[in-house]
Amino acid sequence: MNKYFPILSLLSLCTIDISAQALYFKFDNSVDEHISGTQCNVEGVRTLPFADGISGKALHLDGYSNYVSTKLSNDISTSAMTFSMWIAAETYPMMNVNEAETSPSFTLIAGNIDEKTKTGFGLMLSSQGDLQFKCFLNSWQLICTSDRKIPVGKWSYIVATVDQKSNRIQLFVDGNQVGSAKCPYEMSLGAAPFMIGKSQETILSGPFIINTFNGMIDELRIDNQVFTTEEIISIYSSTSIHNPQFNSAKEAFANNILRPQFHGMPSHAWTNECHGLTYYNGKYHLFFQKNANGPYMARLHWGHLTSTDLLHWTEVPIAIAPTETYDIKGCWSGCIFSDAEITNNKPYILYTGVDNAKARICMASPTDDQLTSWQKNGVIIDGRPSGLSDDFRDPYFFSANGEKYIVVGTSKNNIGACTLHKYNKATKQWTNNGDIFFSGTSQAECGRFWEMPVVVEIENGKYLFCCTPLETSDGVKTLYWIGTIAANGTFVPESEHPQELEMKGASKHGYGLLSPTIWQHNGQTMLLGIVPDKVSSIDNYNWGWAHNYSLPRQIELNNDGTTLQQKFVTNIQQLRNRDNYFSNSDIEINGEMPLGINGFQIEMCGTFTYRSNAIQGFRFLQNGDNYAALYVGEGKINVDLTNLERIANDNGVYNGIYSIPLPSANNGDEISVRAILDGSILDVFVNDNDAFSVRLFPTNAGANSVSLYSNSPQTIKSASVYSLTTNGMITRARNIAAPKSLSDNQFYNLLGQRVSATTKGLVISKNQKRINL
């Protein structure tokens, strides 16, 4: 008995000649070919991952770098053959990043097609999900095409049979015959390598291979006999099939110190704007722009994350993909909305569908209560109104004065604007007559085009309008206005001049939090947005992921009624490691005080008494003179990365120094700071009123300690630092750094933390120890 033949097949098929098996890849944590024992060549940026497959493990290809090649045995029959495998495509091959394919182009799933010598055979998948078996017969190309597309997000059993004796090639999917062709001659086997996951040629966009298979392959085999239809059906029907799990972050990125652990982001590949955060059936649902084929921007889908606490995130199947003629280039940004009349209070998707000619506003609705399955409802606004820019995207739904509206980002007279579309209850249609909801007054201040507009009632008839303009005098940054909605649905701002969402100076030229999604739940208004990496494509290629989102922020109007207050909102306490923390008050300090806290996930809280000539704050990601600094001083709050070994992503803009003016900085003022470090992102909250987010990319895995610091003798009112973990309260060994020196009037507790002489418990100084009861 051949031990490599699947047991399930032995139980159901007694007519298959096991000795006829010519090639077999089981993929149980190995890419060795089992019949010959041949070791295969594996290409890719990381160790090739494996995932749960149809039988044991399956090969998991990343869609932009991984593929396998090997020499094909000469024992393959060219006249009687069955070529079979199980595949689970996460998405279809990219093939072309610049525009949607008007006709599908194909790459190999597996085979040895050589177009130059006109030899070989292979199973091929197109950029639009079309399946083919292709081979050469005496230099004559033969293609057997499936009459149906391969689904994404599920396992499919693919079989091609070649029977030259009966002059027939057949193609099967899940036991159903989906194609056939005449085969008058034997196949020309050829000498090209047998490829798994890519064709012989390589198509690149930057460093990314775009003609690769993205997904899983299992039980790939070639038999030198022709399986009957009954045998193929029997194999399929006797196989236990489960949903494939494409989430690879835990294994693939386990040792990457840069990857955030509790900030929202997909398991791998590319994200940019998040949009449509909603709370439904006991979970938060966050939708986002996703290219699962690799960490680069092209042919965008709507990804989907869920969470119960906005800290622990689970990626679920892609919500919508570019499958229709009106969205074949991409399903771009939009929003989630609910309405009693239009959606029966269920969350619906509004999105921008893009083809090769124009953008349209489209809608999709869920088909289950978990929001994991969606159906498209077609186009509801068929392109931009006349007289406006071709840029027309990112719809947002809102209600005011008993009416329902959609705004869409656009440009008018080269200044950012939003169109206004009103719902007609009688016809159930949306107007598209060129009405303008609101427009800026100058390109320098308001930008040329407005992305991701948001309109929410924030307090007693006052509305927040927020957008992310392109091409302001400071490049891309997020702006907002406070105002009211007029009877005709247009926006009336209290000031024509916008406010910056991030603390002033913390965001420009695409740095900082951008394109926020804003939602309301249990009486709170909250937001989160993308905080881009701003690194090179090579960095993203090497990491396998690009971009992540900020921590959520609660927002409300300040007492002045014209500016936003932004507060820390997440229940971070559940992540605190109670065996690795520092917390004290009235801390006397002059210079550096190591705190004995280590990690790349850290919470730092401090209340500092402002002194104009003093610098007070934290050093973190530290190893000696290598550190990042967060400090208050000279009228500003500063994030200083100039002493940090890092991937510099801000040269020519910030050059490692984010120096942000404090709204109020008088001697004696108390300045409270809370900063959350999570790998390569730092979220900073100031005085429970302002916030900003910074990306930082440390490269020294040994630099991860935290210290308090002051450049002169000061008393810090309070400071708390916690190591954070997403795996529960895991006890870990403390790394306690002894104070640099002790003096008669400096007291420390048994954790090595600087305390006052009157602190309760056992305290020590240079010449004494004492117990304060």
Side-chain angles (χ1 to χ4, degrees):
M1 180 182 295
N2 187 327
K3 66 179 180 178
Y4 299 120
F5 196 92
I7 294 176
L8 61 92
S9 299
L10 283 174
L11 294 175
S12 57
L13 302 173
C14 59
T15 60
I16 290 179
D17 182 1
I18 299 173
S19 65
Q21 193 175 54
L23 177 144
Y24 180 36
F25 288 93
K26 188 169 179 59
F27 296 130
D28 270 351
N29 294 313
S30 169
V31 292
D32 292 350
E33 198 281 303
H34 285 281
I35 302 300
S36 65
T38 301
Q39 292 185 340
C40 300
N41 299 314
V42 179
E43 302 294 338
V45 67
R46 285 174 305 281
T47 302
L48 195 63
F50 295 87
D52 290 339
I54 286 294
S55 175
K57 294 296 183 180
L59 182 67
H60 190 182
L61 299 170
D62 63 15
Y64 77 96
S65 76
N66 290 143
Y67 62 93
V68 175
S69 65
T70 189
K71 181 177 174 57
L72 191 63
S73 168
N74 291 326
D75 296 332
I76 304 294
S77 172
T78 58
S79 59
M81 181 187 77
T82 298
F83 186 17
S84 63
M85 69 186 76
W86 289 84
I87 69 168
E90 184 177 13
T91 53
Y92 300 135
M94 181 60 62
M95 305 307 294
N96 186 340
V97 300
N98 294 318
E99 61 180 349
E101 297 284 343
T102 54
S103 59
S105 55
F106 289 79
T107 193
L108 273 174
I109 307 171
N112 75 329
I113 294 287
D114 187 340
E115 299 288 352
K116 294 180 179 179
T117 62
K118 298 188 182 303
T119 58
F121 65 94
L123 283 163
M124 309 190 76
L125 185 65
S126 85
S127 55
Q128 296 177 21
D130 307 282
L131 177 69
Q132 291 180 347
F133 176 77
K134 180 177 177 178
C135 62
F136 284 95
L137 316 175
N138 294 334
S139 299
W140 173 57
Q141 177 180 278
L142 186 148
I143 295 177
C144 182
T145 301
S146 170
D147 62 13
R148 67 198 67 178
K149 294 181 184 293
I150 293 296
V152 295
K154 62 174 291 186
W155 285 103
S156 297
Y157 181 48
I158 313 298
V159 181
T161 60
V162 178
D163 188 355
Q164 195 264 323
K165 184 177 180 180
S166 64
N167 187 24
R168 194 177 187 193
I169 288 178
Q170 295 185 91
L171 187 58
F172 297 84
V173 175
D174 295 344
N176 299 301
Q177 182 182 324
V178 296
S180 65
K182 292 183 178 181
C183 178
Y185 311 108
E186 291 190 9
M187 292 191 306
S188 304
L189 191 61
F194 186 82
M195 308 291 291
I196 303 174
K198 187 182 77 69
S199 296
Q200 304 288 344
E201 69 275 18
T202 296
I203 305 174
L204 293 173
S205 177
F208 308 103
I209 306 175
I210 62 173
N211 64 324
T212 47
F213 178 76
N214 176 33
M216 301 179 196
I217 302 176
D218 201 6
E219 295 292 329
L220 188 158
R221 51 185 292 134
I222 297 176
D223 291 82
N224 287 338
Q225 67 175 119
V226 180
F227 288 6
T228 66
T229 299
E230 291 75 17
E231 289 167 342
I232 293 169
I233 293 172
S234 181
I235 293 175
Y236 175 72
S237 61
S238 63
T239 302
S240 177
I241 303 171
H242 59 84
N243 292 326
Q245 298 298 315
F246 299 106
N247 298 345
S248 60
K250 184 175 180 181
E251 296 80 12
F253 310 121
N255 297 319
N256 191 322
I257 63 174
L258 302 178
R259 185 173 171 87
Q261 300 299 305
F262 48 86
H263 283 69
M265 62 188 304
S267 67
H268 60 285
W270 171 275
T271 182
N272 48 315
E273 296 101 339
C274 54
H275 38 64
L277 183 60
T278 190
Y279 188 84
Y280 189 70
N281 278 349
K283 291 181 181 179
Y284 293 97
H285 298 262
L286 178 62
F287 298 86
F288 58 93
Q289 294 285 268
K290 176 184 177 75
N291 171 27
N293 287 71
Y296 60 95
M297 183 173 175
R299 199 180 303 143
L300 295 173
H301 299 53
W302 271 48
H304 183 186
L305 293 165
T306 65
S307 177
T308 58
D309 58 7
L310 301 174
L311 290 170
H312 297 84
W313 296 92
T314 300
E315 187 170 9
V316 295
I318 288 169
I320 54 174
T323 56
E324 309 301 323
T325 56
Y326 56 78
D327 65 14
I328 194 65
K329 187 174 180 180
C331 298
W332 289 5
S333 295
C335 70
I336 291 284
F337 79 105
S338 299
D339 179 79
E341 179 182 1
I342 301 174
T343 75
N344 195 26
N345 289 322
K346 291 184 177 181
Y348 275 37
I349 286 174
L350 286 179
Y351 72 100
T352 310
V354 183
D355 62 13
N356 286 315
K358 65 179 182 178
R360 299 171 175 88
I361 306 307
C362 312
M363 191 163 70
S365 56
T367 59
D368 69 342
D369 288 336
Q370 300 304 313
L371 308 186
T372 56
S373 177
W374 293 80
Q375 64 182 8
K376 293 179 180 177
N377 303 112
V379 175
I380 62 170
I381 300 173
D382 193 19
R384 65 171 176 84
S386 61
L388 297 178
S389 164
D390 285 338
D391 277 334
F392 177 74
R393 60 180 184 269
D394 308 343
Y396 191 89
F397 173 92
F398 76 99
S399 299
N401 305 320
E403 302 291 349
K404 310 172 199 301
Y405 300 97
I406 291 173
V407 295
V408 182
T410 188
S411 177
K412 184 174 184 179
N413 300 323
N414 286 319
I415 300 175
C418 279
T419 57
L420 181 67
H421 309 267
K422 183 178 178 181
Y423 183 69
N424 187 312
K425 297 179 182 179
T427 64
K428 302 185 184 303
Q429 302 294 314
W430 297 87
T431 62
N432 190 23
N433 53 20
D435 287 346
I436 297 297
F437 171 73
F438 180 53
S439 61
T441 54
S442 75
Q443 182 174 327
E445 184 176 38
C446 302
R448 179 192 59 80
F449 173 81
W450 285 352
E451 290 189 328
M452 297 299 294
V454 176
V455 185
V456 295
E457 185 176 10
I458 194 163
E459 182 180 295
N460 299 326
K462 285 193 172 184
Y463 282 75
L464 164 68
F465 171 67
C466 179
C467 63
T468 301
L470 309 183
E471 299 179 29
T472 74
S473 58
D474 284 333
V476 179
K477 59 183 178 181
T478 299
L479 303 177
Y480 72 89
W481 291 258
I482 304 297
T484 57
I485 303 298
N488 63 358
T490 60
F491 183 66
V492 182
E494 295 190 353
S495 170
E496 67 179 29
H497 302 292
Q499 306 281 343
E500 295 184 20
L501 182 66
E502 298 281 77
M503 287 189 75
K504 190 171 182 63
S507 179
K508 57 185 177 182
H509 301 296
Y511 292 84
L513 187 155
L514 303 175
S515 303
T517 179
I518 301 177
W519 80 103
Q520 294 173 314
H521 178 61
N522 288 340
Q524 292 182 322
T525 303
M526 293 180 278
L527 68 78
L528 61 80
I530 184 176
V531 188
D533 299 338
K534 304 288 285 187
V535 297
S536 71
S537 295
I538 290 295
D539 290 320
N540 292 132
Y541 175 91
N542 289 330
W543 300 341
W545 48 271
H547 312 314
N548 59 260
Y549 318 129
S550 68
L551 286 178
R553 306 175 187 177
Q554 181 182 344
I555 58 174
E556 56 189 54
L557 280 182
N558 270 314
N559 292 332
D560 62 15
T562 61
T563 58
L564 288 179
Q565 184 181 64
Q566 301 187 59
K567 298 179 179 181
F568 182 76
V569 67
T570 311
N571 182 21
I572 202 77
Q573 290 87 344
Q574 64 177 292
L575 302 184
R576 289 174 177 171
N577 184 345
R578 299 294 179 176
D579 292 324
N580 193 13
Y581 75 97
F582 167 92
S583 184
N584 216 327
S585 58
D586 299 325
I587 305 165
E588 298 173 6
I589 186 172
N590 183 14
E592 183 179 289
M593 178 189 293
L595 301 180
I597 310 299
N598 300 80
F600 294 94
Q601 280 70 39
I602 297 289
E603 178 188 11
M604 298 172 283
C605 305
T607 301
F608 306 96
T609 303
Y610 182 78
R611 299 284 183 259
S612 59
N613 60 350
I615 291 175
Q616 308 170 71
F618 299 96
R619 289 176 173 174
F620 58 102
L621 297 173
Q622 184 173 17
N623 185 357
D625 293 332
N626 174 33
Y627 58 84
L630 171 66
Y631 60 87
V632 173
E634 299 175 344
K636 300 175 181 178
I637 183 167
N638 298 273
V639 176
D640 186 345
L641 309 178
T642 56
N643 294 304
L644 181 69
E645 295 178 36
R646 68 183 182 118
I647 298 170
N649 69 329
D650 56 7
N651 290 340
V653 180
Y654 288 100
N655 298 311
I657 301 178
Y658 297 76
S659 189
I660 300 156
L662 290 165
S664 176
N666 301 309
N667 282 332
D669 286 351
E670 287 187 357
I671 308 296
S672 66
V673 178
R674 183 195 294 262
I676 311 297
L677 172 70
D678 185 13
S680 58
I681 185 170
L682 183 73
D683 295 280
V684 182
F685 297 83
V686 182
N687 287 337
D688 217 16
N689 192 79
D690 298 287
F692 64 96
S693 299
V694 174
R695 300 304 303 273
L696 63 171
F697 299 93
T699 56
N700 186 342
N704 64 356
S705 64
V706 185
S707 300
L708 278 172
Y709 174 79
S710 175
N711 67 343
S712 60
Q714 300 293 328
T715 300
I716 295 175
K717 183 174 181 180
S718 66
S720 299
V721 178
Y722 295 88
S723 172
L724 304 175
T725 174
T726 56
N727 298 317
M729 303 311 166
I730 298 175
T731 300
R732 62 182 69 176
R734 286 189 50 78
N735 182 3
I736 300 175
K740 288 188 173 182
S741 62
L742 291 172
S743 66
D744 288 333
N745 61 353
Q746 291 180 345
F747 289 85
Y748 293 80
N749 63 21
L750 291 182
L751 296 179
Q753 301 164 348
R754 178 80 178 276
V755 297
S756 69
T758 58
T759 298
K760 301 297 184 181
L762 181 63
V763 297
I764 59 174
S765 70
K766 180 177 181 180
N767 295 319
Q768 60 178 304
K769 65 181 178 181
R770 55 199 281 182
I771 298 177
N772 299 322
L773 301 175

